[in-house]
Amino acid sequence: MASTVNSPSVLTSLPIPCFQTSLLTFKKKQLLRFASKRVVSCRADNGEQNNADSSPSVDRFDRRDMLLGLGSLYGASSLVGDRFALASPVAPDWLRGCTVATAMDGDKPGKSVQCCPPSNTKIIDFELPRVRKIRHRPAAHLVDCNYVYKFELAMEKMKALPDDDPRSFKQQAKIHCAYCNEAYFQTRPPHDDPNQKLKIHFSWLFFPFHRMYLYFFERILGDLIDDPDFVMPFWNWDSPCGMAMPEMYVEPCSVLYDKLRDINHKPPNLVDLNDGLGANELKEQGIIFGNLSKTDQIRSNLCLMYRQMVSNGNKPTSFHGKKYRAGCRFVTDDECIPEPGGGTIENGAHIAVHKFVGAKRPPYNEDMGNFYSAGRDPLFYAHHANVDRMWNIWRTLPGKDRRDFRDRDWLNSSFLFYDEKKNLVRAKVRQFLDTEKLGYGYQKVDIPWLESKPTPRWPRRGQIKGGQVHGLRAETKKINVFPLVLDKLVRVKVPRPKRSMTKLGEDGDDDDVEEEEEVLVIQNIQVDRNASVKFDVNINTEDDETPIRPEDSEFAGSFTNIPHGMDHADSKLNTSLSLAMSELLKDLDVKDGEDIEVTLVPRQGAGLVSIGNIKIDYIRE
Ligand code: C2O
């Protein structure tokens, strides 16, 4: 197998049918100088009203209640003023803080799941390994049978360990459940608070947490077969040849098999990175008309990848997700919402793959279709290896804002894992930014989505033809329709504020000032954590007869949720979706200062999600 380091700077020459290519014209990546621009957040004085209503205690549909909630929140914030000081990196501690996690789906009664790991009183700090050589995780569809044999052997040994061994597959699978389904507190005693449960999805914790999880998982596998050089495979779902579930995972007699999967999605079916559904389901739901051919599916997937990795994921917050600090529960600050908003890949391809693999088996959609059970499917780890690979590729894409956060609360966030010697280890995000320092990289394969830029459905259409009825065109509503329950297609006109002038850095030098990106922010998205929901966001669409697809520039992105809930009153997810739009608006020929029309298209769980507001922001990070 090839073993050179993945370098997306080499554009593929693979002839991918059915999409127009357009070479990226990036600016040369500039050298970053460390800029001391640490954002101090969670300040007591930063209590903007529009953020206050993000409290989960606020009723999700009633504006009046929202305002009431706002009042009580302000009251609360003055009472707990000292807690602002607690905003800090997350640092879970299960010596006393691991509680039972509960999974629940829809209205069905919750089911308790014991996810806590075996206890241990001694925690050691993680130290970077001594790296002798970089080992390359292979693409799962390209490995030979010797590799499969070795991998299966390692998995077999892991599965054979006693259930209470922290290295056993059962315990490893529970790690995901515990961190996702609120078994931990955000911080160590005495700062832990019953309301401060840790959530590692829908925020900047997503990539580093999962990277660490896989790293320790891989070390355990290698140790079990006495091969310190062992590396796990990645599911190369972002490339045409890797878009079906990798063969080694679908052999029913293999240790890599999981029977709780969607049997309709076995190979040769290709994953749908947009909806996570197969062509038949899409047809049944009226989402697509006619046949989605294999080439159409590939084109759609590649365009989505371009969108999520390149045009939408061009800032740390848009790629990684929004900031999340411990102790933020009481702070009325955008950066302190419990699940503030995931990045493009987390919210997009990542969730779609979970949905695609998980059995459509109500009420829980196990295994991959629910975060509490996802770790029980061996395919989860190959899926997340590719997610992890996306982070590596992203860091090498041109553009000076495609860089990791420098925020100390992110860098110092830590998680606990058992290593291959059963030591309980605390690892920090700052140690996991560069995989080569951890000793691994990824096999070099083609990256065809780099050239799969969406194209406008209606080229050069110019301005919005306000009010014009055209085919099934929905009536454009005024902006003040919010908050609303999204139960049908909604189109709103969104005014675009003046772009603020780019300020120079404090030293008068603008080298370290990020470029502004125009983002569409869908605020206060409220949905039951256990509901499967998806809606698309389209910009300046001409008519609604032909659904907009990811191949069209008008497609800005989607919001998706899969069940990951808790069985308590606070089971509502309150989050936001930010979609970078600069490139899209340019492609659609929208002039500066020209308003846009945003269409929200419910695609799954219509009526189960409400939206607080839509606005346009200009962001730097
Ligand atoms: Cu923690 Cu793919 O999820």
Side-chain angles (χ1 to χ4, degrees), residues 176 180 200-201 206 210 350 354 371 380 384:
H176 197 250
C180 301
I200 48 87
H201 291 110
F206 174 74
H210 290 86
H350 159 251
H354 272 279
F371 284 152
F380 169 89
H384 268 278

Side-chain angles (χ1 to χ4, degrees), residues 490-536:
V490 170
R491 174 171 293 138
V492 290
K493 190 170 261 182
V494 180
R496 286 165 72 216
K498 272 232 155 59
R499 191 182 279 268
S500 69
M501 296 294 290
T502 300
K503 286 186 212 119
L504 291 182
E506 271 153 36
D507 53 0
D509 178 347
D510 69 352
D511 279 2
D512 51 6
V513 173
E514 298 87 356
E515 277 157 31
E516 274 189 340
E517 172 70 27
E518 183 164 358
V519 289
L520 184 72
V521 192
I522 318 231
Q523 293 176 296
N524 298 131
I525 301 173
Q526 300 205 16
V527 56
D528 195 300
R529 283 209 171 80
N530 302 294
S532 282
V533 159
K534 178 171 190 283
F535 65 82
D536 286 350

Side-chain angles (χ1 to χ4, degrees), residues 445-545:
V445 289
D446 283 332
I447 308 175
W449 47 259
L450 277 173
E451 293 178 80
S452 305
K453 184 175 155 126
T455 50
R457 171 77 64 91
W458 296 282
R460 314 204 65 77
R461 70 181 272 263
Q463 297 172 338
I464 304 160
K465 301 179 192 79
Q468 182 185 343
V469 179
H470 190 96
L472 298 177
R473 186 169 161 80
E475 194 190 338
T476 303
K477 298 198 178 180
K478 290 191 202 97
I479 187 73
N480 58 8
V481 292
F482 298 107
L484 61 77
V485 178
L486 190 63
D487 51 4
K488 55 178 175 304
L489 187 140
V490 170
R491 174 171 293 138
V492 290
K493 190 170 261 182
V494 180
R496 286 165 72 216
K498 272 232 155 59
R499 191 182 279 268
S500 69
M501 296 294 290
T502 300
K503 286 186 212 119
L504 291 182
E506 271 153 36
D507 53 0
D509 178 347
D510 69 352
D511 279 2
D512 51 6
V513 173
E514 298 87 356
E515 277 157 31
E516 274 189 340
E517 172 70 27
E518 183 164 358
V519 289
L520 184 72
V521 192
I522 318 231
Q523 293 176 296
N524 298 131
I525 301 173
Q526 300 205 16
V527 56
D528 195 300
R529 283 209 171 80
N530 302 294
S532 282
V533 159
K534 178 171 190 283
F535 65 82
D536 286 350
V537 182
N538 301 328
I539 310 280
N540 285 9
T541 50
E542 186 84 5
D543 71 69
D544 307 310
E545 269 172 284

Side-chain angles (χ1 to χ4, degrees), residues 283-532:
K283 238 188 273 178
E284 274 162 30
Q285 298 184 18
I287 291 172
I288 57 162
F289 306 103
N291 282 321
L292 191 64
S293 67
K294 198 173 157 190
T295 45
D296 283 346
Q297 185 64 71
I298 291 173
R299 181 178 53 183
S300 165
N301 287 347
L302 295 178
C303 288
L304 268 169
M305 289 309 298
Y306 176 91
R307 182 70 86 203
Q308 291 168 17
M309 292 291 290
V310 182
S311 53
N312 283 2
N314 59 358
K315 293 278 179 187
T317 47
S318 53
F319 179 74
H320 274 288
K322 301 216 172 89
K323 300 177 179 186
Y324 175 91
R325 303 170 204 274
C328 287
R329 174 94 177 175
F330 302 95
V331 183
T332 53
D333 183 310
D334 253 349
E335 295 181 4
C336 294
I337 300 170
E339 285 160 295
T344 49
I345 289 291
E346 175 184 8
N347 199 36
H350 159 251
I351 287 189
V353 173
H354 272 279
K355 277 165 75 175
F356 180 79
V357 180
K360 309 295 169 289
R361 200 184 64 144
Y364 299 112
N365 295 346
E366 290 102 338
D367 280 328
M368 279 280 275
N370 192 314
F371 284 152
Y372 98 87
S373 53
R376 297 173 185 171
D377 188 336
L379 191 47
F380 169 89
Y381 305 89
H383 169 38
H384 268 278
N386 203 38
V387 169
D388 187 63
R389 179 176 155 258
M390 291 305 128
W391 182 8
N392 267 9
I393 294 175
W394 180 78
R395 281 163 53 105
T396 66
L397 293 178
K400 64 175 177 174
D401 296 339
R402 285 189 186 80
R403 48 144 186 97
D404 293 329
F405 293 103
R406 299 159 188 150
D407 189 308
R408 272 174 282 170
D409 284 348
W410 185 67
L411 295 169
N412 291 333
S413 287
S414 63
F415 300 100
L416 296 165
F417 296 92
Y418 277 100
D419 70 8
E420 71 281 9
K421 301 290 175 228
K422 300 201 226 183
N423 295 316
L424 185 52
V425 177
R426 180 179 296 282
K428 286 188 172 174
V429 169
R430 61 166 70 252
Q431 298 171 302
F432 280 74
L433 305 182
D434 181 352
T435 59
E436 297 207 347
K437 291 205 175 118
L438 297 160
Y440 76 89
Y442 287 94
Q443 178 184 2
K444 181 194 162 115
V445 289
D446 283 332
I447 308 175
W449 47 259
L450 277 173
E451 293 178 80
S452 305
K453 184 175 155 126
T455 50
R457 171 77 64 91
W458 296 282
R460 314 204 65 77
R461 70 181 272 263
Q463 297 172 338
I464 304 160
K465 301 179 192 79
Q468 182 185 343
V469 179
H470 190 96
L472 298 177
R473 186 169 161 80
E475 194 190 338
T476 303
K477 298 198 178 180
K478 290 191 202 97
I479 187 73
N480 58 8
V481 292
F482 298 107
L484 61 77
V485 178
L486 190 63
D487 51 4
K488 55 178 175 304
L489 187 140
V490 170
R491 174 171 293 138
V492 290
K493 190 170 261 182
V494 180
R496 286 165 72 216
K498 272 232 155 59
R499 191 182 279 268
S500 69
M501 296 294 290
T502 300
K503 286 186 212 119
L504 291 182
E506 271 153 36
D507 53 0
D509 178 347
D510 69 352
D511 279 2
D512 51 6
V513 173
E514 298 87 356
E515 277 157 31
E516 274 189 340
E517 172 70 27
E518 183 164 358
V519 289
L520 184 72
V521 192
I522 318 231
Q523 293 176 296
N524 298 131
I525 301 173
Q526 300 205 16
V527 56
D528 195 300
R529 283 209 171 80
N530 302 294
S532 282

